[in-house]
Amino acid sequence: MKRFFISLLSLFFLLSCGGGKGAASNKATPPNTPKTPIISNVNSGYWQQHVDYKMEIDMDVNTYQYQGKQQLVYTNNSPDVLNKVFYHLYFNAFQPGSEMDVRSRTIADPDRRVEDRISKLKPNEIGYINVNSLKQNGTILKHETVGTVLEVELAKPIQPGEKVTFDMVFDAQVPVQIRRSGRNNKEGVALSMTQWYPKLAEYDFEGWHADPYIGREFHGVWGNFDVKLTIDKNYVVGGTGYLQGEPSVKGNKKTMHFKAPKVHDFTWAADPEYIHDTLQMENGPLLNFYYKKTLPEENLKFWKEFQPKAAALIKYYSEHVGKYPYKQYSVIQGGDGGMEYAMCTLITGERSFGSLVGVTAHEMAHTWFQFLLASNEAKHEWMDEGFTSYISDLAMNEVMETNKENPTAGAYRNYLYLAKSGKEQPLTTHADRYAYNQAYSISAYSKGEVFLAQLGYIIGEENLKKTIKKYFTDFSFKHPKPLDIVRTAERVSGLELDWYLIDFGQTTNTIDYGITSIEDKTITLERIGLMPMPIDLTVTYTDGTTQNYYIPLQMMRGEKPTTATLIKDWAWAYPTYTFNAEKSVKSVQIDPSGLMADINPENNTK
């Protein structure tokens, strides 16, 4: 999430600027068809919890404090009896001595937006959420605030299939803008209200996910929101949900009523100087743009000009992932960089045209990879950030007409830097537990992007396109896991891919293949790294002609569709592989596409 990463990518760019048994040698074969049928019922036995929020919020724009009433109807769809529940109180992170504060001051490479700023906040600048009362079906509950988590002792266990109603009264203060949420950001936006309410923690097949907020990622329960916001009548408000009728005005305040169906969060931003533009897409949502009229003239011009690009991005993602299901989407000036939320994104506004489009492309893509395919981004941050980076790079290549041969090349460069740095941790690392912010960012964004791009190398680009669409069809409005994207790819391609998730997603094993020798027609290759891969190979003959070869990985139990000459499988445990080409060989190149994340490309040609 996001946003010092753009400069990080720039730095790295400057630094760097399966086969069937007994396949007949040299036998050309047509593209294969899937070897296993597409299975439609992939969610058998799946369950997820459900929430219905009703909130009434009264905001004082002078003190940045607000009063809240929340009624939450919670449906326990799990097979388990629940004896306790937990709420996230994210604003409590913005207090001196919080875990977020201490972690920022002790990690080797702190986020420059945070550093020691939380430790210096005064009482009227901190954030907090105080829960004053909480009832379960009318019975008062005992509860304790522990940092950013509210621990609740239930009056009566919640049985499987049971609905309970929690009624809460709370008050809160909006912190000075430091990270994502806050008041009066560096561009003067009054209120960036993200992760601002007591939010019930997710409970799934792995149990509760009541993670403290240390500055990283989020996980939420699917449900419906009904929010009545009372605020100064001069403030323009944009965010999640559909406005229900005209605001009612009483004195100096107005009350706005929003409803948001089938989301797992609710966000809003407000400022008295917002310009509000709209663009109705044909066969698509209404796009809203909120930005301050006080922006420099050049930036105001960019905010007007990029609106058709935003529409083109929505269209691209709807065509290449799945149809956008809501009636509206909003791009809102606010926050501290760029960050995705339900039906909207908050981004800073003083940007070049290219940056405005690029950041919007990334944050908007999160609507698909996180807000519709709602993976647990605290545990699987690479599925969120990486898949988003992949599809947004492809979208930018088309929408901005940059025509790059490999739009994901930057992600490969970043990953190779990390893999050779000695600082890499497996993608199974919890988002909060990376030793370095840099290692987290490259792992989540770049290695996650390479995971998808390289999957296309393994199963074929057309199969990858089908995989992404089927993944969306099967798992949107759910909480998919890493295995789900891999099993989807298996169903589409007919190949065995568990090895790929294990090696690339659960270890720091690296790919390194090289060319040992060329002797007339005989070519010998070697596997140096621990991670297995199928091999694409281009051979240039002494007469100047070329021929493409494909060496299947035996443990894939099949081959990707290819027009290359198919030769015998390579079983992983064998460190070398020898075959005879058809004519005398001049040179050989492994992976001419550059889509295999080989950490030593220098030994890929000879």
Side-chain angles (χ1 to χ4, degrees):
M1 301 177 195
K2 286 99 244 113
R3 300 355 148 185
F4 80 106
F5 192 59
I6 293 172
S7 59
L8 180 67
L9 281 173
S10 300
L11 172 61
F12 291 146
F13 293 170
L14 288 172
L15 289 172
S16 62
C17 357
K21 293 182 180 179
S25 177
N26 301 338
K27 181 180 178 182
T29 59
N32 290 5
T33 55
K35 297 184 177 179
T36 56
I38 300 296
I39 300 172
S40 59
N41 185 20
V42 297
N43 296 307
S44 179
Y46 176 83
W47 56 267
Q48 63 189 29
Q49 306 293 65
H50 182 84
V51 289
D52 288 301
Y53 285 93
K54 284 187 177 181
M55 290 189 280
E56 296 181 5
I57 308 299
D58 191 345
M59 169 64 74
D60 186 330
V61 298
N62 297 310
T63 64
Y64 302 103
Q65 296 176 352
Y66 54 103
Q67 309 294 317
K69 294 181 180 179
Q70 181 189 94
Q71 183 180 87
L72 191 159
V73 178
Y74 183 53
T75 304
N76 179 17
N77 290 319
S78 82
D80 305 325
V81 176
L82 304 182
N83 296 298
K84 54 189 174 182
V85 298
F86 302 91
Y87 288 77
H88 296 286
L89 307 175
Y90 291 110
F91 272 6
N92 289 356
F94 300 97
Q95 300 174 10
S98 71
E99 286 192 74
M100 186 173 175
D101 171 35
V102 173
R103 179 60 172 160
S104 179
R105 289 187 285 116
T106 55
I107 196 169
D109 56 341
D111 186 331
R112 287 176 293 177
R113 292 165 297 190
V114 182
E115 294 184 324
D116 64 350
R117 291 179 63 200
I118 297 175
S119 69
K120 298 176 180 178
L121 292 177
K122 300 172 184 177
N124 67 337
E125 296 175 328
I126 67 170
Y128 63 73
I129 300 177
N130 294 328
V131 176
N132 301 316
S133 69
L134 180 60
K135 297 178 181 178
Q136 174 190 355
N137 294 338
T139 301
I140 296 175
L141 298 178
K142 295 179 181 178
H143 54 85
E144 180 182 4
T145 297
V146 181
T148 60
V149 175
L150 184 75
E151 300 177 350
V152 181
E153 183 180 329
L154 295 177
K156 184 180 179 182
I158 307 174
Q159 300 298 318
E162 184 181 2
K163 292 179 184 286
V164 298
T165 300
F166 295 106
D167 288 289
M168 179 187 292
V169 177
F170 66 96
D171 65 88
Q173 179 171 284
V174 185
V176 170
Q177 177 79 52
I178 292 178
R179 189 69 186 97
R180 299 192 178 102
S181 295
R183 69 199 204 219
N184 302 321
N185 80 343
K186 66 181 181 179
E187 296 176 346
V189 174
L191 292 167
S192 298
M193 299 297 288
T194 68
Q195 309 295 345
W196 56 275
Y197 60 93
K199 181 178 177 180
L200 194 71
E202 179 65 278
Y203 181 87
D204 61 17
F205 75 103
E206 295 177 311
W208 284 103
H209 297 279
D211 297 319
Y213 182 38
I214 305 178
R216 286 274 192 249
E217 314 287 353
F218 305 102
H219 192 33
V221 190
W222 280 104
N224 304 306
F225 286 76
D226 186 319
V227 179
K228 291 180 179 178
L229 170 65
T230 300
I231 193 170
D232 185 292
K233 67 180 181 180
N234 295 316
Y235 275 58
V236 179
V237 179
T240 307
Y242 311 131
L243 183 63
Q244 306 295 297
E246 293 297 318
S248 61
V249 179
K250 185 176 181 180
N252 292 323
K253 286 193 166 184
K254 64 182 177 183
T255 298
M256 307 176 74
H257 185 191
F258 297 93
K259 288 187 178 181
K262 297 182 72 174
V263 294
H264 52 89
D265 200 8
F266 189 97
T267 291
W268 56 280
D271 192 275
E273 297 179 333
Y274 272 152
I275 296 171
H276 178 199
D277 293 338
T278 61
L279 191 163
Q280 178 63 60
M281 292 183 60
E282 185 178 355
N283 299 318
L286 175 70
L287 300 185
N288 298 283
F289 302 89
Y290 298 88
Y291 53 101
K292 286 177 71 75
K293 64 181 69 173
T294 53
L295 278 169
E297 184 176 347
E298 183 179 48
N299 296 115
L300 287 172
K301 178 173 173 282
F302 292 156
W303 272 83
K304 293 285 187 182
E305 291 176 347
F306 104 101
Q307 293 174 18
K309 295 293 188 184
L313 289 166
I314 285 269
K315 185 173 184 289
Y316 183 93
Y317 299 139
S318 290
E319 290 176 352
H320 291 83
V321 184
K323 185 173 176 58
Y324 182 77
Y326 303 111
K327 299 176 185 177
Q328 68 182 40
Y329 186 87
S330 300
V331 181
I332 307 170
Q333 183 187 356
D336 65 341
M339 179 65 196
E340 73 280 357
Y341 301 102
M343 301 189 199
C344 64
T345 179
L346 268 61
I347 68 173
T348 47
E350 296 179 11
R351 299 175 175 276
S352 67
F353 180 78
S355 176
L356 195 60
V357 179
V359 173
T360 299
H362 182 90
E363 307 310 335
M364 185 183 282
H366 273 296
T367 291
W368 283 262
F369 294 111
Q370 179 47 26
F371 272 95
L372 289 169
L373 295 158
S375 54
N376 180 350
E377 55 181 347
K379 287 190 64 180
H380 313 301
E381 60 279 357
W382 57 277
M383 296 179 70
D384 163 40
E385 296 297 352
F387 293 8
T388 291
S389 297
Y390 171 82
I391 202 68
S392 61
D393 276 348
L394 267 58
M396 282 290 287
N397 197 46
E398 179 171 304
V399 169
M400 296 299 282
E401 299 178 350
T402 49
N403 300 315
K404 296 178 182 176
E405 185 176 351
N406 179 9
T408 64
Y412 279 80
R413 289 194 292 269
N414 292 340
Y415 163 66
L416 296 184
Y417 164 83
L418 178 64
K420 294 185 283 188
S421 71
K423 297 179 180 179
E424 185 184 7
Q425 294 171 247
L427 292 181
T428 51
T429 304
H430 189 284
D432 290 327
R433 243 76 84 207
Y434 281 86
Y436 297 90
N437 275 321
Q438 182 193 63
Y440 158 78
S441 295
I442 301 176
S443 296
Y445 291 76
S446 297
K447 190 174 183 182
E449 178 172 355
V450 172
F451 184 95
L452 267 193
Q454 189 169 242
L455 182 60
Y457 167 85
I458 293 168
I459 67 174
E461 290 299 322
E462 288 304 312
N463 277 337
L464 177 61
K465 292 175 182 178
K466 294 176 184 176
T467 294
I468 290 172
K469 289 185 175 182
K470 182 165 176 56
Y471 178 56
F472 177 84
T473 299
D474 290 345
F475 294 100
S476 55
F477 297 104
K478 296 181 176 66
H479 295 297
K481 306 172 293 300
L483 185 60
D484 293 323
I485 184 66
V486 170
R487 290 290 290 127
T488 301
E490 288 186 331
R491 292 181 179 103
V492 168
S493 69
L495 301 172
E496 186 174 328
L497 301 169
D498 58 337
W499 59 273
Y500 184 55
L501 177 61
I502 291 169
D503 276 78
F504 206 68
Q506 300 174 2
T507 77
T508 55
N509 290 348
T510 55
I511 303 164
D512 186 6
Y513 283 86
I515 303 161
T516 302
S517 64
I518 302 171
E519 297 179 5
D520 192 23
K521 296 181 180 181
T522 304
I523 300 169
T524 299
L525 312 177
E526 60 178 333
R527 176 189 53 76
I528 303 162
L530 280 174
M531 182 170 169
M533 286 292 283
I535 300 298
D536 287 347
L537 199 71
T538 296
V539 173
T540 301
Y541 295 118
T542 53
D543 63 7
T545 60
T546 62
Q547 185 171 359
N548 295 322
Y549 288 88
Y550 173 58
I551 306 173
L553 177 65
Q554 191 174 85
M555 64 178 70
M556 283 172 58
R557 309 302 168 193
E559 305 85 33
K560 69 177 176 182
T562 182
T563 57
T565 301
L566 177 68
I567 51 179
K568 63 183 180 180
D569 296 352
W570 189 342
W572 169 81
Y574 299 147
T576 61
Y577 178 98
T578 300
F579 76 100
N580 289 322
E582 293 183 359
K583 293 180 284 187
S584 181
V585 176
K586 177 182 178 182
S587 63
V588 175
Q589 182 178 5
I590 295 172
D591 179 32
S593 70
L595 291 174
M596 186 173 73
D598 191 309
I599 64 165
N600 185 19
E602 288 76 15
N603 63 7
N604 287 1
T605 57
K606 192 179 179 87

